[in-house]
Amino acid sequence: MTLLEIQDLHVGVDSREIIRGLDLMVNAGEVHAIMGPNGSGKSTLSHVIAGKPGYEVTGGQILFRGEDLLEMEPNERAAKGVFLAFQYPVEIPGVTTMNFLRTALNAQRKARGRGELSTPEFLKKVREVAGSLNITRDMLKRGVNVGFSGGEKKRNEVLQMALFEPSLCILDEIDSGLDIDALRIVASGINGLRSPERTMIVITHYQRLLHYIVPDYVHVMSKGRVVKSGGKELALELEACGYAQFETAA
Amino acid sequence: MVAVQETVEHVRRIDVDQYRYGFETLIESDKAPKGLSEDTVRFISAKKNEPAWMLEWRLEAYRRWLTMTEPTWARVDYRKIDYQDIYYYAAPKPKKTLSSIDEIDPEILKTYEKLGIPLREVAILEGVEPPPGGEQAPNRKIAVDAVFDSVSVATTFQKELKAAGVIFMPISEAIREHPELVQKYLGTVVPTSDNYFATLNSAVFSDGSFVYVPPGVRCPMELSTYFRINERNTGQFERTLIIADKGSYVSYLEGCTAPQRDENQLHAAVVELVTLDDAEIKYSTVQNWYPGNSEGKGGIYNFVTKRGDCRGKNSKISWTQVETGSAITWKYPSCILRGDNSSGEFYSIAISNGFQQVDSGTKMIHLGKNTSSRIISKGIAAGKSQNTYRGLVSAHRKATGARNYTACDSLLIGDKCGAHTVPYVEAKNSSATFEHEATTSKISEDVLFYCLQRGLSEQQAIGLVVNGFAKDVLQKLPMEFAAEAQKLISISLEGSVG
Ligand SMILES: Nc1ncnc2c1ncn2[C@@H]1O[C@H](COP(=O)(O)OP(=O)(O)O)[C@@H](O)[C@H]1O
Ligand SMILES: [Mg+2]
């Protein structure tokens, strides 16, 4: 079943076109990697799927389970199951991570017509996942991402991904700023969430991550377009030859 | 006509923004004739069966007031107040002496119930966690004095307080029953001539609370007063006087609401606190007067003088306020640090939305040796509102070793509002250490989007971020107020974006 269908998408910022006719089809349960050099528009694509304001969609469409995603508010998209792990997660001072998680989880459950979790149920769930990601209780008591290291921020993103049970996960450079141990923890957390009901789009600049999260498909992005698609071996080819060959193609 | 009226009511209901306390209680009331004159002052004094000295005190204030002019230095802009177009006294009818809560007009009781105020002698908050390791905590109790328009309708827990030696009663009763205490302290912190609104209050104040905590007594429960303006065209001029005698402690909470009215209503209160040697007063306010509708119509004009005098050595006064309501707020809860080693604190959250104008802050006047003060102010401006922090920190020539720390943070929501910080510092003493920090920030698009991506609505996101921003101050509130204040913050910011 097609979960996400992007057709001839054009997106501009300040009247400069950044996504320039992008197509992408993703089926339920698949893992797709999007690779591309810096500035090729990967983050922009992820923001537009999630509904960040400030981008002008000048053409094309994005369908999510056949519904027009671009018509929905960002929180509606989240409730429908779209989750974005940010390349640069923000800090929210004074709001404890625990409080944030609970407020967000309950908001999503409510939107999906489910009741709120009781405090013990919630705590049990959070502690379970947090433990597997090496997230300490102290971190959960701190302000959201406040004083977190780069790796801690990324683990906090994966923690949320596990809690909210999304059907589409977009991971924007989840590997950036991680040392090898942190990368293993994050990747194993993500792999644990792979399931036939869950689709992942893994955005990365480097092949390294794809050793740990092995994708079904790889797409190469350059200058706002998908310029080549293939199986997981495409990533290896990229590692060997670099992006230069595609720069001209775009 | 009936249909038209209904439509108007209906529209008003839609239009009423999110003010939860905007209902009106239909009770008969007993009013003074409209307008202000010596006769009005005499009328009020007579209604209260006041002794001659009190009437004299009022009349002196009234005559003084006639010679004064309304101050214009605050950053607030409002239509001129017609002081002859206000009722200065309104009491619910029938007026008779009440001996128990059961004699209170059930309509009034219902009002307070709607406001969530425990007028019945119930121990609230049974869900409070026992202290770690301790046995079941004694049920926390709050004694309440409820002031409805101009009179105090009920003061709860009188007996228990009496056993502890604490006097907590309407000030009108204290004037009759404890004249020596009232005469000794009334007007000694805020003199009748202090400022235009305080002088007006001195002439026409109708009721308010009086607290006296005897030496060495830790008040066994939180004391609380709820003020409610119900009548149309009525001003509320309450007067509160709290004295903590040597080595005593009291925590006092004040809450305020008013119905929605198209016309502006005046609230000019005076609060005086006195702490003697080693005593402490903690005074918390959640002010939620009607702020006016989304077009800036109606709302309370809140001109309040609150001042504490740390008269004794090692004494302490702490003000915590959450200001969400009122069309105009003009309010500077202050501390005079007279006793050596005394300390003053001011923790404030001031939220403005719609067309609200807030000019609020504090004064810390260091007179004694080794006095210290701390100011944490969080201003949040949304909609088309203006939010000003105005603060004075001064050290007298003799106040050696005075210390102050001030942190003023402003948060802007949207781009049609304004936040301003006006600090005044006067150190007449080279040993003073005054630190001042100020920040202004906006709720960033990135933070909002992050929250929305996690499924929060924009309102929820703003509520969360603002509560986080104001956390340092929220933590200073007594527990039962903190939860209420958090909700209030979210509600008062509804409609602040988009
Ligand atoms: N908000 C913005 N304003 C202006 N230019 C932007 C904005 N966001 C992205 N861009 C530009 O769009 C291009 C693509 O950026 P981005 O999507 O972050 O690429 P990637 O994630 O692939 O590195 C870059 O040239 C970047 O400078
Ligand atoms: Mg990027």
Side-chain angles (χ1 to χ4, degrees):
Chain A
M1 191 199 89
T2 309
L3 184 76
L4 181 73
E5 192 173 356
I6 301 177
Q7 291 164 349
D8 194 28
L9 185 69
H10 290 258
V11 177
V13 176
D14 300 335
S15 70
R16 189 183 136 212
E17 192 165 54
I18 293 168
I19 305 287
R20 299 155 61 235
L22 181 138
D23 296 284
L24 187 68
M25 283 265 278
V26 176
N27 291 324
E30 294 173 350
V31 174
H32 289 241
I34 295 181
M35 303 185 68
N38 279 331
S40 55
K42 303 185 297 295
S43 291
T44 301
L45 175 65
S46 70
H47 288 153
V48 171
I49 296 173
K52 186 172 180 175
Y55 296 95
E56 199 191 346
V57 177
T58 51
Q61 62 174 355
I62 305 179
L63 300 178
F64 184 71
R65 289 202 188 94
E67 285 184 274
D68 186 354
L69 205 57
L70 295 174
E71 283 298 306
M72 297 177 211
E73 294 297 323
N75 50 328
E76 286 177 63
R77 301 184 200 197
K80 296 256 179 207
V82 176
F83 180 88
L84 170 61
F86 287 81
Q87 181 173 1
Y88 304 108
V90 298
E91 299 183 4
I92 315 179
V95 180
T96 64
T97 304
M98 208 53 143
N99 182 21
F100 181 77
L101 294 177
R102 184 161 189 193
T103 313
L105 182 62
N106 283 333
Q108 293 206 18
R109 287 179 69 97
K110 197 171 162 206
R112 293 175 194 171
R114 295 163 73 185
E116 295 194 351
L117 280 183
S118 72
T119 305
E121 283 171 320
F122 169 75
L123 288 176
K124 187 165 172 272
K125 207 169 161 172
V126 172
R127 287 185 179 146
E128 229 172 69
V129 187
S132 71
L133 289 165
N134 265 354
I135 291 174
T136 60
R137 289 198 183 183
D138 173 62
M139 277 170 68
L140 295 173
K141 281 187 204 150
R142 273 190 264 158
V144 176
N145 293 324
V146 177
F148 285 24
S149 69
E152 287 172 334
K153 285 183 183 169
K154 294 302 171 83
R155 279 186 272 150
N156 193 19
E157 295 293 284
V158 179
L159 169 64
Q160 294 176 59
M161 175 169 146
L163 279 181
F164 302 152
E165 300 172 10
S167 46
L168 174 65
C169 308
I170 304 162
L171 305 162
D172 191 2
E173 307 229 8
I174 197 77
D175 51 334
S176 67
L178 296 188
D179 62 29
I180 195 72
D181 293 325
L183 182 62
R184 280 211 184 93
I185 294 171
V186 164
S188 102
I190 293 167
N191 283 327
L193 294 170
R194 286 178 83 150
S195 95
E197 284 88 49
R198 188 161 293 130
T199 302
M200 296 190 190
I201 297 177
V202 181
I203 295 173
T204 182
H205 185 76
Y206 301 103
Q207 146 70 15
R208 183 180 73 155
L209 175 68
L210 304 182
H211 288 303
Y212 296 93
I213 304 170
V214 181
D216 301 308
Y217 300 95
V218 175
H219 309 277
V220 181
M221 224 177 132
S222 178
K223 296 180 183 162
R225 286 192 192 114
V226 172
V227 290
K228 183 157 188 184
S229 297
K232 57 177 174 275
E233 63 292 342
L234 181 55
L236 298 170
E237 191 184 315
L238 272 172
E239 189 172 40
C241 313
Y243 291 114
Q245 52 175 321
F246 301 108
E247 299 277 339
T248 43
Chain B
M1 274 315 281
V2 173
V4 171
Q5 189 56 34
E6 261 178 23
T7 310
V8 168
E9 284 300 326
H10 185 64
V11 169
R12 193 175 290 158
R13 239 172 281 138
I14 302 170
D15 186 273
V16 291
D17 315 324
Q18 279 74 28
Y19 192 71
R20 277 198 305 171
Y21 305 106
F23 55 85
E24 163 179 17
T25 306
L26 294 172
I27 43 155
E28 265 193 278
S29 89
D30 184 9
K31 282 184 194 163
K34 215 180 212 178
L36 184 52
S37 65
E38 278 204 18
D39 285 345
T40 320
V41 176
R42 286 176 198 280
F43 177 95
I44 295 169
S45 188
K47 277 279 171 199
K48 302 276 174 191
N49 285 320
E50 282 177 355
W53 61 265
M54 194 66 241
L55 174 62
E56 254 334 289
W57 197 87
R58 287 176 179 277
L59 287 172
E60 212 182 293
Y62 173 68
R63 287 169 200 141
R64 179 90 191 199
W65 183 74
L66 289 175
T67 68
M68 299 167 92
T69 46
E70 215 170 308
T72 53
W73 45 263
R75 197 187 176 103
V76 290
D77 184 19
Y78 55 94
R79 268 231 317 272
K80 225 173 146 36
I81 299 169
D82 181 354
Y83 291 89
Q84 297 308 333
D85 196 34
I86 295 173
Y87 290 102
Y88 287 82
Y89 182 86
K93 247 186 189 170
K95 214 186 147 273
K96 57 170 181 168
T97 323
L98 304 171
S99 58
S100 99
I101 280 178
D102 294 320
E103 291 179 36
I104 297 172
D105 187 329
E107 285 299 315
I108 294 179
L109 274 185
K110 260 193 244 159
T111 301
Y112 281 100
E113 245 166 63
K114 271 195 240 176
L115 297 169
I117 296 159
L119 267 194
R120 305 226 154 242
E121 301 201 354
V122 284
I124 63 158
L125 268 184
E126 283 165 309
V128 175
E129 284 182 49
E135 69 273 28
Q136 192 63 34
N139 284 331
R140 291 193 58 187
K141 292 174 181 174
I142 300 180
V144 180
D145 182 15
V147 178
F148 205 83
D149 289 328
S150 306
V151 285
S152 181
V153 292
T155 311
T156 62
F157 287 112
Q158 284 278 23
K159 273 190 209 134
E160 230 178 302
L161 288 167
K162 219 171 194 167
V166 175
I167 304 170
F168 177 41
M169 56 170 57
I171 199 160
S172 53
E173 281 176 34
I175 290 167
R176 296 191 299 265
E177 291 178 29
H178 301 282
E180 69 304 332
L181 281 173
V182 175
Q183 265 181 300
K184 185 168 174 191
Y185 291 103
L186 187 72
T188 63
V189 186
V190 179
T192 47
S193 57
D194 192 80
N195 69 72
Y196 189 80
F197 298 107
T199 306
L200 175 64
N201 173 287
S202 301
V204 301
F205 77 85
S206 35
D207 223 328
S209 293
F210 175 82
V211 177
Y212 172 77
V213 191
V217 170
R218 197 181 164 85
C219 186
M221 61 188 82
E222 310 254 3
L223 303 183
S224 173
T225 302
Y226 279 87
F227 295 107
R228 169 107 182 138
I229 300 179
N230 193 58
E231 280 297 310
R232 242 168 235 282
N233 297 319
T234 301
Q236 182 150 321
F237 306 91
E238 85 268 352
R239 184 106 194 174
T240 296
L241 174 59
I242 302 178
I243 303 131
D245 212 324
K246 290 180 183 172
S248 69
Y249 168 84
V250 63
S251 165
Y252 184 91
L253 321 173
E254 175 203 86
C256 338
T257 61
Q260 289 153 210
R261 302 277 191 214
D262 286 346
E263 73 271 7
N264 298 105
Q265 284 177 289
L266 179 63
H267 174 251
V270 172
V271 175
E272 295 178 280
L273 312 182
V274 180
T275 48
L276 303 184
D277 292 358
D278 306 300
E280 178 177 351
I281 298 176
K282 189 172 156 53
Y283 193 107
S284 314
T285 306
V286 173
Q287 183 269 106
N288 185 26
W289 297 118
Y290 179 51
N293 74 2
S294 49
E295 273 127 45
K297 195 162 191 217
I300 301 289
Y301 288 168
N302 195 28
F303 296 95
V304 171
T305 306
K306 288 183 164 174
R307 196 173 301 153
D309 188 355
C310 288
R311 212 163 276 182
K313 61 177 167 46
N314 303 319
S315 66
K316 182 173 174 185
I317 288 176
S318 175
W319 298 100
T320 305
Q321 60 170 21
V322 178
E323 301 283 312
T324 67
S326 298
I328 309 276
T329 303
W330 182 101
K331 181 181 174 188
Y332 316 89
S334 303
C335 296
I336 301 166
L337 303 167
R338 198 183 304 275
D340 291 348
N341 297 312
S342 62
S343 63
E345 293 174 337
F346 174 74
Y347 299 107
S348 170
I349 298 170
I351 297 185
S352 54
N353 194 3
F355 286 85
Q356 283 177 273
Q357 303 173 60
V358 176
D359 195 301
S360 184
T362 184
K363 285 187 257 182
M364 293 291 175
I365 318 281
H366 294 255
L367 301 178
K369 294 187 180 34
N370 298 317
T371 48
S372 65
S373 60
R374 187 177 167 83
I375 299 170
I376 309 284
S377 162
K378 305 277 183 179
I380 298 134
K384 293 180 178 151
S385 68
Q386 294 295 326
N387 202 319
T388 302
Y389 167 81
R390 188 182 302 277
L392 166 72
V393 179
S394 78
H396 189 263
R397 204 165 35 80
K398 290 179 184 155
T400 49
R403 280 160 293 141
N404 166 267
Y405 172 75
T406 299
C408 258
D409 299 318
S410 307
L411 184 68
L412 297 168
I413 302 173
D415 49 17
K416 295 189 186 73
C417 52
H420 320 276
T421 303
V422 191
Y424 305 89
V425 176
E426 296 167 5
K428 298 209 178 84
N429 184 309
S430 60
S431 67
T433 24
F434 290 171
E435 278 178 77
H436 181 97
E437 290 172 17
T439 65
T440 301
S441 50
K442 283 188 86 160
I443 291 194
S444 83
E445 284 284 327
D446 286 347
V447 167
L448 269 186
F449 177 61
Y450 188 85
C451 294
L452 261 59
Q453 208 306 298
R454 298 315 189 227
L456 299 180
S457 67
E458 200 157 60
Q459 279 322 321
Q460 282 177 309
I462 288 173
L464 203 68
V465 171
V466 170
N467 274 304
F469 170 77
K471 190 176 191 180
D472 299 350
V473 175
L474 283 172
Q475 280 172 339
K476 298 290 173 190
L477 285 172
M479 198 184 344
E480 48 282 325
F481 255 32
E484 181 67 12
Q486 253 183 34
K487 266 187 265 162
L488 203 56
I489 287 173
S490 301
I491 292 169
S492 60
L493 286 170
E494 272 173 33
S496 58
V497 283

